[in-house]
Amino acid sequence: MRAGNKLISAAGFREPLSVTPLLASKLFIQAIATNTTLVFVGDIAVMAATVSPAGIGLDASDLLILENVDLSQVYIDARTANEGISWLAI
C-alpha cells in the first residue's frame, strides 16, 4: 500500500501521479477538501480548461476509484495552482 498527495504547481499544466511506473489494483483519488475549483483526472490528454475540459472533474472532497492502473499513466490538471488530490494505491 502506498499513499501520496499531488498538487498542480501551475494551473493548466497536467502532471502524472508518478514519474515512474507504479501498478495498483485499486487507486483511490480524493480531491483535497480546500480546493476552490475543479481538479481533473484522466490520461495524458486530461485538461482543466473551462471551455473544453477533458477527464473526470472532481470538486473538493470528491472521491474517484480506479482499478488495475499504472500511476504513471494517471494525470491530473487543475484550474488553480497549488490545488490537487490525495491518493491511496493498493
Side-chain angles (χ1 to χ4, degrees):
M1 187 175 344
R2 293 188 182 189
N5 293 313
K6 185 70 173 181
L7 299 178
I8 293 296
S9 55
F13 291 95
R14 63 186 157 261
E15 298 181 23
L17 293 188
S18 176
V19 294
T20 59
L22 179 60
L23 301 176
S25 58
K26 281 204 177 189
L27 175 62
F28 299 85
I29 299 172
Q30 186 171 31
I32 294 173
T34 56
N35 287 349
T36 60
T37 59
L38 292 174
V39 174
F40 286 80
V41 179
D43 61 12
I44 195 162
V46 71
M47 189 179 346
T50 55
V51 176
S52 298
I56 304 290
L58 301 177
D59 273 319
S61 298
D62 280 354
L63 178 67
L64 175 66
I65 302 170
L66 302 174
E67 294 185 352
N68 302 315
V69 295
D70 177 349
L71 275 69
S72 69
Q73 301 300 309
V74 178
Y75 287 74
I76 67 164
D77 191 10
R79 293 183 175 162
T80 305
N82 298 316
E83 296 195 349
I85 56 98
S86 296
W87 58 267
L88 173 68
I90 299 174

